[in-house]
């Protein structure tokens, strides 16, 4: 797939607004809320879930018919439930799909997002789908945005490398309409923002899902360059010679074991009167064998995701431009392939990072922090107000927080701000400390720093402590470790497909929007 084909690829269904069902609509998606204690339900006396159908969409007779059908199917309204039933003759659709939202007092925007994703994932082969889920939220505009994001991402598919032999017989719905009382200017604006956000997440997913024999550093850099240029960003790409000449010892050292040399890409969104400046840095290891400190063979294929941080920051700066955010944003993206060979760096080598700090490489599988260090120093030369770096950095993140919860470290106030916004958008980042006593464990016998500690304790926190050494004084900084959350190795759920997830794109977009509003 060429760079142009990559840019032109459809990544999700078309999302629009509607105020009523039309005769050519195919499926109506309604929400179900679990019944409150004591609610009376069907004639048999069992409690039944409450239907969320939108204002005046169905009459009482139709609602009763739907409720009876759902009762027969055993529907409870629990989050994650999906039930299909033939549409009553009073509706101009062939099928009704009911998705659980949980209890009425516990419905969140992300619950709506998850339900919309569940619905669209269940509707391969459907035509036009009408979603009523925005009616379940307390804030109609926030609920509309959540439903749009969930529907788009639930419809995401990555089939670029399937031949006709294994290509799916059906595809995700081509169009999803969100039922709203009126197509107001505010509703249209929130929909447009939500679609841009979802498209950014899907772009990051595509980068991660593209196999490493295709997405080598040079190809990743070219696709990032093309996508950035199409969005109107200023783009700079440093090749291996420019990196060597510029003193980027971390990127060069990690990449020197591969026949496919490293790159550094810088993408800048520069509005006329920015409210603040933000630097984004993302780890772009296009494949990680561990180098000389080679990884076990089991599950090494998952290391195609080791550029998930880079994918996220590329997608985020493109979204910033498309949203026309009044914040200056520059993504500095180091890209390398970590391979063992006669030219690979060895345990015991000493690198001189960009900016002059020397690092003893005790473990070549702790390579992400080496390329991030170069990029962080370069990003800080722009004197940003804020810096966010993100990476699939440590297995310790999953040990501490599991596979769905990013760890957020950094300067206290900004760390907490990033984590809170991450939780608001459903990516659920959690603030973590950087205990000062960990710094001594990074002392080297021969250099300024070692790239790992001499013990296995607090590995995620120690990695952040290493990165802190390269962050300029006075910069509000957050480090987001997404080793588990960036790549879903289990079955799809909600709006999350198997493979690349796009985490933490929505977190970073939310932070940029918050900075644009509050500074």
């Amino acid at each position: 797939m060429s760079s142009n084909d990559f840019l032109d690829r459809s990544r999700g269904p078309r999302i629009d607004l509607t105020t009523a069902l039309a005769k050519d609509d195919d499926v109506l998606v309604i929400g179900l809320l679990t019944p409150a204690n004591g609610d009376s339900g069907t004639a048999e006396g069992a409690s039944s879930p409450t239907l969320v159908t939108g204002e005046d969409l169905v009459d009482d007779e139709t609602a009763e018919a739907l409720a009876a059908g759902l009762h027969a199917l055993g529907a409870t309204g629990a989050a994650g439930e999906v039930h299909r039933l033939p549409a009553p003759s009073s509706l101009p659709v062939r099928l009704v799909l009911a998705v659980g939202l949980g209890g009425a007092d516990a419905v969140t925007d992300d619950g709506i997002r998850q339900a919309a994703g569940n619905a669209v994932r269940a509707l391969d082969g459907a035509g036009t789908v009408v979603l009523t889920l925005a009616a379940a939220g307390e804030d109609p505009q926030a609920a509309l945005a959540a439903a749009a994001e969930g529907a788009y991402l639930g419809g995401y598919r990555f089939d670029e490398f399937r031949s006709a032999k294994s290509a799916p017989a059906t595809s995700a719905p081509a169009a999803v309409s969100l039922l709203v009382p009126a197509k107001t200017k505010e509703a249209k604006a929130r929909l447009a923002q939500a679609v841009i956000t979802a498209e950014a997440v899907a772009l990051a997913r595509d980068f991660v899902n593209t196999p490493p024999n295709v997405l080598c550093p040079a190809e990743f850099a070219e696709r990032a360059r093309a996508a950035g240029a199409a969005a109107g960003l200023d783009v700079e790409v440093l090749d291996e010679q420019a990196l060597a000449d510029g003193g980027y010892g971390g990127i060069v050292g990690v990449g020197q074991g591969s026949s496919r040399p490293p790159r550094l890409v810088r993408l800048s969104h520069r509005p006329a009167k920015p409210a603040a400046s933000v630097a984004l840095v993302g780890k772009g290891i296009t494949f990680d064998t561990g180098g000389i400190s080679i990884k076990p063979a089991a599950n090494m294929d998952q290391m195609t995701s080791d550029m998930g941080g880079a994918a996220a920051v590329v997608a985020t700066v493109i979204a910033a431009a498309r949203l026309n955010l009044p914040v200056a944003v520059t993504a500095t993206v180091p890209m390398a392939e970590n391979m063992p060979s006669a030219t690979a760096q060895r345990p015991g080598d000493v690198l001189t990072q960009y900016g002059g700090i020397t690092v003893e490489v005790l473990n070549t599988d702790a390579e992400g922090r080496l390329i991030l260090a170069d990029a962080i120093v370069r990003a800080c030369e722009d004197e940003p107000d804020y810096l966010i770096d993100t990476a699939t950095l440590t297995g310790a993140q999953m040990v501490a927080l599991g596979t769905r919860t990013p760890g957020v470290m950094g300067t206290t106030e900004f760390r907490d701000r990033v984590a809170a916004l991450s939780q608001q958008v459903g990516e659920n980042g959690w603030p973590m400390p950087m205990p000062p006593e960990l710094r001594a464990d990074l002392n080297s016998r021969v250099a300024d720093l070692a790239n790992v500690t001499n013990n296995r304790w607090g590995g995620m926190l120690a990695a952040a402590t290493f990165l802190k050494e390269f962050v300029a004084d006075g910069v509000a900084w957050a480090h987001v470790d997404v080793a588990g959350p960036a790549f879903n190795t289990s079955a799809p759920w909600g709006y999350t497909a198997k493979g690349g997830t796009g985490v933490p794109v929505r977190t970073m977009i939310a932070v940029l929007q918050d900075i644009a509003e509050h500074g």
Side-chain angles (χ1 to χ4, degrees):
M1 181 167 50
S2 69
S3 294
N4 286 337
D5 291 337
F6 182 79
L7 288 178
D8 294 340
R9 196 180 94 78
S10 175
R11 295 180 169 86
R14 185 179 73 254
I15 311 289
D16 60 15
L17 302 176
T18 188
T19 57
L21 289 175
K23 63 181 181 180
D24 56 349
D25 290 331
D26 193 32
V27 181
L28 173 65
V29 176
I30 63 174
L32 294 180
L33 299 170
T34 55
N37 291 335
D39 281 357
S40 60
T42 61
E44 289 82 359
S47 293
S48 58
T50 301
L51 277 60
V52 178
T53 58
E55 191 173 340
D56 300 327
L57 179 67
V58 299
D59 57 29
D60 290 344
E61 183 178 352
T62 302
E64 289 177 5
L66 291 172
L70 289 166
H71 174 72
L73 292 171
T76 68
E81 270 192 357
V82 177
H83 293 283
R84 299 167 180 259
L85 65 164
S89 58
S90 54
L91 294 175
V93 295
R94 66 173 180 84
L95 180 71
V96 173
L97 190 82
V99 290
L101 289 163
D105 58 349
V107 175
T108 64
D109 291 338
D110 197 57
I112 293 169
R113 195 179 288 111
Q114 299 286 359
N118 281 326
V120 174
R121 281 197 304 104
L123 288 172
D124 277 2
T128 301
V129 175
V130 176
L131 233 66
T132 68
L133 299 178
E138 289 187 14
D139 179 342
Q141 300 307 323
L144 183 154
E149 290 174 8
Y152 188 97
L153 295 173
Y156 173 87
R157 304 289 186 273
F158 189 80
D159 299 321
E160 299 308 305
F161 293 87
R162 293 191 180 277
S163 68
K165 183 176 181 179
S166 68
T170 57
S171 61
V176 175
S177 296
L178 306 181
L179 188 73
V180 293
K183 297 181 183 180
T184 64
K185 184 177 180 180
E186 183 181 8
K188 292 177 181 178
R190 288 300 293 266
L191 176 64
Q193 292 176 13
V195 169
I196 288 171
T197 298
E199 287 174 344
V201 175
L203 175 62
R205 289 180 178 183
D206 271 9
F207 279 129
V208 172
N209 289 331
T210 301
N213 63 313
V214 174
L215 200 75
C216 63
E219 179 64 19
F220 190 10
E222 172 55 26
R223 293 188 183 192
R225 183 208 61 77
L233 301 176
D234 294 335
V235 183
E236 177 187 17
V237 179
L238 301 185
D239 65 12
E240 66 271 30
Q241 189 60 56
L243 290 168
D245 292 345
Y248 291 88
I251 302 172
V252 171
V254 172
Q256 71 188 39
S258 175
S259 61
R260 306 195 297 178
R263 295 287 186 270
L264 179 71
V265 177
R266 283 174 44 88
L267 307 167
S268 297
H269 164 59
R270 295 189 173 113
K273 295 181 179 180
S277 60
V278 181
L280 304 177
V281 174
K283 173 186 173 185
I285 298 294
T286 58
F287 192 76
D288 183 18
T289 66
I292 298 299
S293 307
I294 197 163
K295 294 177 180 290
N299 300 320
M300 195 193 288
D301 60 288
Q302 296 172 12
M303 290 299 98
T304 184
S305 68
D306 213 20
M307 34 62 66
V313 299
V314 170
T316 298
V317 70
I318 289 170
R322 295 187 63 201
L323 291 167
N324 198 27
L325 295 181
V327 177
V329 184
T330 295
T332 302
V333 194
M335 302 171 177
E337 185 175 58
N338 189 23
M339 300 289 284
S341 74
T343 60
Q345 65 180 354
R346 296 153 290 255
D349 283 1
V350 173
L351 305 177
T352 301
Q353 302 279 166
Y354 184 77
I357 293 176
T358 58
V359 174
E360 181 185 12
V361 180
L362 297 181
N363 187 327
T364 66
D365 194 25
E367 84 299 329
R369 64 200 70 184
L370 300 175
I371 69 169
L372 288 172
D374 280 356
I376 286 171
V377 175
R378 175 62 188 90
C380 287
E381 288 182 342
D382 298 331
E383 299 183 347
D385 300 304
Y386 302 93
L387 166 66
I388 303 173
D389 80 82
T390 186
T392 50
L393 201 59
T394 66
Q397 177 273 319
M398 291 181 278
V399 174
L401 295 172
T403 59
R404 297 187 184 182
T405 304
V408 186
M409 291 137 280
T411 54
T412 303
E413 184 177 350
F414 191 51
R415 174 202 65 188
D416 292 348
R417 183 178 181 183
V418 170
L421 289 165
S422 182
Q423 291 166 25
Q424 287 179 22
V425 301
E427 289 189 334
N428 300 318
W430 197 256
M432 298 293 288
M434 289 189 295
E437 65 270 17
L438 294 181
R439 174 59 185 84
D441 291 339
L442 291 168
N443 288 337
S444 164
R445 179 178 59 85
V446 295
D448 297 330
L449 284 170
N451 75 326
V452 292
T453 67
N454 58 2
N455 60 68
R456 59 189 292 263
W457 314 120
M460 173 174 61
L461 316 181
T465 300
F466 177 91
L467 295 178
K468 181 182 178 182
E469 295 292 310
F470 299 89
V471 178
D473 292 341
V475 176
W477 165 58
H479 162 63
V480 186
D481 194 332
V482 289
F487 195 72
N488 178 28
T489 60
S490 62
W493 53 279
Y495 52 87
T496 300
K498 190 166 186 175
T501 66
V503 174
V505 168
R506 291 187 297 112
T507 293
M508 291 189 291
I509 291 174
V511 173
L512 295 178
Q513 291 172 323
D514 193 62
I515 290 170
E517 184 175 352
H518 303 292

